[in-house]
């Protein structure tokens, strides 16, 4: 457990990829960011806008450029430069809708993107200015970026599936293997990348039907090991829509899913095997409960079998020692030497 500053509700967390001791926390109940250089022991308070009532929704860190992008619910995006001793506010993008997600690369390319419910914005000049990305052809629903060569940004859409780009200008569809049903639209519910493998991605999809009254039918979770050139089904036909995907770092095919009806992550793919092979898990899941119950059941069955065997042996010995003409008294056998 990391002790956060008093009287704040944590709305966002980010870690510097080049320095695991460097943590950033955004307050959901005030326009403030807190930075720790010692893994949460001490915190530096960095106010964003004291005149605005609101909170932080997401944080992205460009470790290469020492830039921190902070999204808020009613004041747009703040750009801060981390100079070590302090953080300097050095840019602001004012938006008329809440920021849902921010991503930034860490290779020095300066790619950074901001997603709201209806629009996608691309950073120019390392976030000193921003432009609206208007050639997606659909509203953005999910956002991820990988630090490859070159870095690639992936955007989930409301009805075109997944698109990707290496410059934020030109976009290509990346739906091979995700499946399409005639009369439906492919909706990306959640998207994530493995933090240690740039070509490993996970995506949760749904089909949308109708126009005036839209019906959403969950499809499942798919995995790509080649940078979204192709997809393999990892889990199909979930009962509810998946809202978040949490990958197990460095374990291809191991991912947890959070649905829109539960706060408990569910293990998918190889994550089930990892949980089953370990009695202790950092994240409680249905799979851990199943493995735990199965272990108890095995011990119970073994104990019952042992008791039955001892009872059979005792009964056999009693039959051998009891005389045929000796009467039973009170349900017990009386022996004389």
């Amino acid at each position: 457990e990391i002790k956060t500053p008093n009287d704040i509700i944590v709305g966002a967390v980010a870690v510097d990829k080049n320095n695991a001791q460097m943590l950033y926390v955004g307050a959901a109940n005030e326009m403030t960011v807190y930075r720790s250089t010692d893994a949460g022991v001490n915190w530096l308070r960095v106010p964003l806008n004291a005149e605005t009532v609101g909170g932080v929704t997401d944080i992205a860190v460009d470790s290469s450029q020492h830039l921190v992008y902070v999204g808020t619910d009613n004041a747009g995006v703040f750009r801060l430069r981390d100079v070590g001793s302090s953080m300097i506010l050095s840019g602001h993008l004012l938006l008329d809708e809440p920021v849902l997600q921010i991503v930034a690369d860490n290779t020095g390319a300066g790619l950074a993107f901001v997603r709201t419910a209806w629009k996608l914005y691309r950073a120019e000049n390392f976030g000193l200015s921003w432009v609206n990305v208007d050639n997606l052809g659909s509203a953005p629903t999910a956002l991820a970026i990988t630090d490859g060569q070159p870095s690639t940004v992936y955007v989930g859409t409301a009805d075109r599936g997944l698109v990707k780009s290496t410059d934020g200008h030109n976009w290509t569809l990346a739906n091979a293997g995700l499946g399409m049903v005639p009369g439906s639209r492919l909706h990306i519910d959640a998207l994530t990348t493995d933090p240690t493998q740039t070509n490993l991605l996970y995506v949760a999809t749904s089909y949308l039907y109708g126009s005036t009254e839209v019906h959403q039918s969950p499809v499942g979770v798919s995995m790509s090991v080649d940078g979204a050139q192709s997809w393999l089904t990892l889990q199909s036909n979930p009962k509810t829509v998946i809202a978040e995907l949490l990958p197990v770092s460095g374990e291809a095919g191991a991912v947890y899913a959070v649905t829109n009806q539960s706060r408990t992550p569910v293990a998918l793919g190889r994550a089930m095997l990892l949980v089953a092979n370990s009695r202790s898990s950092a994240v409680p899941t249905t799979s851990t409960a199943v493995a735990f119950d199965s272990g108890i059941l095995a011990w119970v069955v073994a104990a019952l079998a042992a008791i039955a065997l001892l009872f059979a042996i005792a009964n056999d010995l009693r039959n051998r020692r009891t005389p045929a003409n000796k009467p039973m008294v009170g349900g017990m056998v009386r022996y004389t030497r």
Side-chain angles (χ1 to χ4, degrees):
E1 180 180 358
I2 295 178
K3 184 175 178 58
T4 54
N6 295 329
D7 302 324
I8 75 161
I9 300 172
V10 177
V13 179
V15 182
D16 190 312
K17 286 189 176 182
N18 294 339
N19 183 2
Q21 299 293 309
M22 188 82 72
L23 307 181
Y24 301 88
V25 166
N29 55 331
E30 60 181 45
M31 286 289 181
T32 305
V33 170
Y34 293 83
R35 187 199 67 181
S36 174
T37 59
D38 49 18
V41 178
N42 299 287
W43 295 94
L44 170 70
R45 185 175 186 269
V46 184
L48 300 175
N49 189 339
E51 299 178 357
T52 303
V53 177
V56 175
T57 57
D58 199 14
I59 300 174
V61 180
D62 182 344
S63 302
S64 177
Q65 301 294 328
H66 304 289
L67 297 174
V68 180
Y69 299 102
V70 182
T72 65
D73 54 4
N74 61 2
V77 180
F78 293 88
R79 175 186 183 271
L80 300 100
R81 181 171 292 280
D82 194 331
V83 296
S85 60
S86 63
M87 297 178 66
I88 301 174
L89 185 62
S90 57
H92 184 207
L93 169 65
L94 184 62
L95 299 174
D96 57 1
E97 56 180 335
V99 173
L100 300 181
Q101 195 175 3
I102 304 178
V103 297
D105 84 298
N106 294 276
T107 65
L111 289 177
F113 295 85
V114 171
R115 178 176 71 88
T116 67
W118 299 103
K119 294 181 180 180
L120 180 71
Y121 297 89
R122 181 185 68 249
E124 297 286 330
N125 300 318
F126 296 95
L128 290 175
S129 60
W130 298 82
V131 296
N132 178 27
V133 178
D134 57 5
N135 59 342
L136 287 180
S138 182
T141 61
L143 191 58
I145 198 167
T146 59
D147 296 329
Q149 296 295 333
S151 296
T152 303
V153 59
Y154 301 88
V155 181
T157 68
D159 52 21
R160 294 190 66 210
L162 186 71
V163 297
K164 66 178 183 178
S165 173
T166 56
D167 58 11
H169 296 271
N170 304 295
W171 301 89
T172 58
L173 290 174
N175 297 324
L178 293 179
M180 289 293 292
V181 174
S184 70
R185 292 165 287 164
L186 186 60
H187 185 278
I188 303 299
D189 303 324
L191 171 67
T192 190
T193 61
D194 188 289
T196 61
Q197 302 182 59
T198 58
N199 287 326
L200 181 56
L201 297 92
Y202 303 92
V203 65
T205 58
S206 291
Y207 291 141
L208 300 183
Y209 299 92
S211 55
T212 55
E213 292 187 8
V214 178
H215 172 70
Q216 186 173 8
S217 177
V219 176
V221 177
S222 299
M223 174 185 70
S224 175
V225 296
D226 54 13
Q229 296 184 48
S230 60
W231 294 92
L232 300 173
T233 300
L234 197 64
Q235 178 79 21
S236 59
N237 301 320
K239 295 181 179 180
T240 57
V241 175
I242 293 175
E244 191 79 18
L245 291 172
L246 313 170
V248 180
S249 180
E251 293 284 348
V255 65
Y256 289 87
V258 181
T259 71
N260 61 2
Q261 295 184 5
S262 173
R263 295 183 179 181
T264 302
V266 178
L268 303 180
R270 291 193 63 250
M272 292 183 176
L273 300 177
L274 297 176
V275 171
N277 291 333
S278 175
R279 291 291 182 178
S280 61
S281 175
V283 183
T285 68
T286 303
S287 299
T288 56
V290 171
F292 181 71
D293 291 344
S294 299
I296 293 178
L297 181 60
W299 281 105
V300 171
V301 171
L304 291 176
I307 293 173
L309 179 60
L310 291 174
F311 180 82
I313 294 174
N315 187 59
D316 182 67
L317 292 174
R318 184 182 64 180
N319 290 337
R320 292 181 181 182
R321 298 177 60 183
T322 303
N325 59 351
K326 185 67 69 175
M328 300 291 289
V329 180
M332 299 183 67
V333 178
R334 182 176 61 192
Y335 297 96
T336 57
R337 292 182 181 273

